Amino acid sequence: MKIAVIGSGYVGLVTGACFADLGNEVICVDNDLDKIKKLKNNKIPFYEPGLDNLVKVNVREKRLSFTSEISEGVKESEVIFIAVGTPPREDGSADLSAIERVGKEIGTNINGYKLIVEKSTVPVRTGEWLRNVIEKYNVNNCEFDVASNPEFLREGTAIQDFMNPDRIVIGVENEKAAQILISLYQPLNAPILVTDIKSAEIIKHASNAFLSMKISFINAVANICELAGADIKKVAKGIGLDKRIGEAFLNAGLGYGGFCFPKDLDAFIAISKDLGYDFKLLKEVRNINDYQKLFPVRKLKEIYGNLSGKNIGILGLAFKPNTDDMRLAPSIDIINALHKEGANIKAYDPEAMENAKKIFKDVSITYCDNSYEVAKDSDAIVIVTEWNEFKYLDLFKIKDLMKDNVIIDGRNIYDRKKIEKLGFKYKAVGR
Ligand code: UDX
């Protein structure tokens, strides 16, 4: 099938490359000329394991190409995925101006039947609105359908998530649109749920809100465990073995970050308000997360009282492992708070340091080449992101290099007994 993907950011590029790999002819479009130039030279503008190779192979096989002209993408394709950004506005609601611009371009350039699919996360009823935007500019009076096909890709495992999804959600207005999308996804052999457009739009926001709620719930229980002297890891296991609850997403830690959960939660709260419902539960999910992010700062203050002049080493900056994404990462709140307390900060992350430097312009941080450099002369080390390499550090060496011996394990990656035996003062979440 001939496909255009408009917006070659994270979602668009992964979607485009994967559809090409399934044998389709895909044009990825972006109005950022520099990005398109890089992509044409096989350079991926962000870090995602396996994506560079997937792009390279499919470009070579002539199934994947790039352009900065929406008109080219629209004219050449039957199915058009919209994967442009829907960033949050001040009140948390999604800014749909990029989608509106794309809708206008589609309408102006439409030259035959097109199926236009929302891939970006959008508020419920955007499908209706998008249909009107396109119709307004549809001077050639061409037939088209609008559909919603939300993405559930996780950064770091996006290709695997695309190729082996738990489910594919297709929101459509008629059988023709349903059949096109079903045949497109047929090779994946995954369960396909066909709904109306509005339900598909809500499925995306409700899924991310539910997952955020699971994380805040377990973090709140972790705080109770700490107060009671119980172990959150055992409690999470005990809860998760109930099939109705499930073990996934019950890792207590420093809360969720990234661009999706915080943004989608705010958007869902704003959508609910618009529709006349005050979603207080989700507001509390957000409050718990905001509190949880500062767990390491609270622990360090309990230990040292005053953090002024203390050397604090940060291991991990990205919002989660296997990504260089710093957007709304807990490390930002933690480092800003430590800086305000007067601490000296050293940090290391295997992938996210370049992005971190852009964020911490006004904070003095010594960026290190590895964990041992961070440990040198540190009073305390905080594990902020659970990169695999932090799980297998030579902790004898770390202890030798440190000035004091405090480890704040914000992601519960170490075994308390082993680490205390080595002589560390160890604080973990809910254990
Ligand atoms: C998420 C959704 O999972 C995906 O379906 C959606 O389309 C985009 O948003 P992503 O943001 O890439 O994906 O990361 P994910 O792996 O879901 O983790 C989100 C955050 O939750 C991270 O900050 C992670 O550290 C945190 N998390 C996750 C926990 O704190 N505990 C857990 O048990 C799981």
Side-chain angles (χ1 to χ4, degrees):
M1 214 173 288
K2 287 191 164 189
I3 298 172
V5 182
I6 303 180
S8 300
Y10 191 81
V11 171
L13 198 56
V14 171
T15 304
C18 288
F19 274 134
D21 208 56
L22 292 177
N24 300 286
E25 212 176 294
V26 182
I27 307 186
C28 285
V29 184
D30 205 290
N31 59 5
D32 180 341
L33 294 175
D34 194 46
K35 191 188 273 178
I36 291 297
K37 205 168 138 197
K38 278 190 185 138
L39 287 167
K40 282 186 169 171
N41 289 319
N42 282 332
K43 295 220 163 57
I44 309 296
F46 50 84
Y47 174 75
E48 178 62 30
L51 187 60
D52 47 356
N53 196 42
L54 202 71
V55 167
K56 209 191 281 171
V57 168
N58 284 286
V59 168
R60 194 182 60 213
E61 298 299 320
K62 302 210 174 341
R63 289 190 295 258
L64 181 62
S65 59
F66 304 99
T67 179
S68 53
E69 298 297 324
I70 293 193
S71 56
E72 191 186 332
V74 173
K75 286 182 180 140
E76 294 291 316
S77 319
E78 182 184 4
V79 184
I80 302 167
F81 284 90
I82 303 183
V84 294
T86 51
R89 290 192 292 227
E90 201 113 291
D91 65 351
S93 64
D95 178 351
L96 298 181
S97 48
I99 299 213
E100 190 170 11
R101 275 197 300 280
V102 171
K104 184 177 164 185
E105 290 272 358
I106 293 175
T108 316
N109 290 290
I110 196 165
N111 59 344
Y113 176 79
K114 309 282 168 187
L115 174 59
I116 294 123
V117 191
E118 305 166 346
K119 203 57 169 154
S120 311
T121 301
V122 292
V124 60
R125 297 198 294 206
T126 300
E128 274 172 13
W129 167 83
L130 179 62
R131 158 165 285 290
N132 292 336
V133 173
I134 299 171
E135 196 59 273
K136 197 167 142 197
Y137 295 95
N138 182 6
V139 280
N140 295 331
N141 225 1
C142 291
E143 190 199 341
F144 71 93
D145 283 312
V146 169
S148 163
N149 169 224
E151 57 82 20
F152 301 103
L153 311 176
R154 288 165 300 174
E155 293 186 19
T157 53
I159 295 168
Q160 192 188 319
D161 289 344
F162 185 97
M163 296 296 185
N164 304 291
D166 285 353
R167 81 310 204 178
I168 290 155
V169 175
I170 289 173
V172 284
E173 293 168 307
N174 57 41
E175 190 54 29
K176 180 175 179 181
Q179 283 313 321
I180 293 175
L181 287 172
I182 288 171
S183 66
L184 203 53
Y185 280 108
Q186 204 80 58
L188 297 185
N189 226 352
I192 297 181
L193 176 71
V194 180
T195 70
D196 56 283
I197 297 182
K198 284 189 259 191
S199 300
E201 290 167 339
I202 289 196
I203 285 171
K204 170 67 196 216
H205 272 119
S207 297
N208 276 358
F210 190 88
L211 292 168
S212 310
M213 181 181 74
K214 245 183 141 177
I215 298 169
S216 279
F217 179 83
I218 204 67
N219 282 332
V221 177
N223 292 327
I224 302 298
C225 284
E226 187 180 335
L227 293 169
D231 182 339
I232 189 63
K233 282 201 154 180
K234 292 179 185 149
V235 171
K237 182 95 189 156
I239 303 171
L241 282 172
D242 185 326
K243 284 198 189 77
R244 294 169 300 176
I245 297 173
E247 287 184 72
F249 272 70
L250 287 181
N251 293 318
L254 302 181
Y256 56 81
F259 202 47
C260 287
F261 284 175
K263 170 176 81 83
D264 291 355
L265 196 76
D266 284 352
F268 204 31
I269 292 169
I271 292 163
S272 309
K273 187 178 166 207
D274 254 16
L275 292 167
Y277 181 68
D278 182 6
F279 214 145
K280 288 190 187 136
L281 173 66
L282 297 187
K283 290 181 183 167
E284 198 47 34
V285 167
R286 185 171 59 191
N287 290 340
I288 293 171
N289 199 56
D290 288 343
Y291 176 78
Q292 196 64 19
K293 286 194 260 189
L294 294 178
F295 170 88
V297 184
R298 285 192 294 277
K299 290 295 144 195
L300 287 167
K301 280 168 95 173
E302 271 172 28
I303 295 168
Y304 291 117
N306 186 351
L307 297 182
S308 176
K310 289 287 171 208
N311 299 335
I312 312 294
I314 304 289
L315 291 186
L317 294 164
F319 84 96
K320 65 172 201 175
N322 300 320
T323 175
D324 62 354
D325 198 342
M326 281 295 298
R327 290 177 295 176
L328 300 174
S331 65
I332 301 174
D333 301 72
I334 295 165
I335 288 177
N336 283 336
L338 290 173
H339 175 70
K340 218 162 140 200
E341 296 287 332
N344 306 317
I345 301 160
K346 278 199 206 180
Y348 165 67
D349 186 286
E351 292 293 339
M353 289 202 288
E354 286 315 308
N355 286 340
K357 284 174 194 165
K358 291 178 214 151
I359 289 176
F360 297 115
K361 280 192 195 118
D362 303 324
V363 181
S364 144
I365 299 174
T366 307
Y367 293 95
C368 300
D369 289 337
N370 55 55
S371 305
Y372 301 102
E373 243 182 64
V374 170
K376 194 166 178 336
D377 298 326
S378 281
D379 291 294
I381 282 181
V382 183
I383 308 289
V384 177
T385 317
E386 65 278 34
W387 284 93
N388 257 341
E389 65 175 77
F390 302 151
K391 296 178 186 163
Y392 305 107
L393 291 174
D394 178 346
L395 291 167
F396 282 109
K397 189 169 161 191
I398 294 278
K399 172 115 193 309
D400 256 10
L401 289 164
M402 287 177 73
K403 192 162 135 204
D404 197 7
N405 56 355
V406 171
I407 290 193
I408 311 286
D409 184 355
R411 298 291 176 178
N412 285 347
I413 63 173
Y414 296 127
D415 180 324
R416 172 183 292 283
K417 274 196 197 133
K418 278 191 199 154
I419 212 146
E420 284 180 344
K421 217 166 155 192
L422 290 168
F424 285 102
K425 247 181 253 150
Y426 180 69
K427 298 276 175 200
V429 180
R431 292 192 294 148

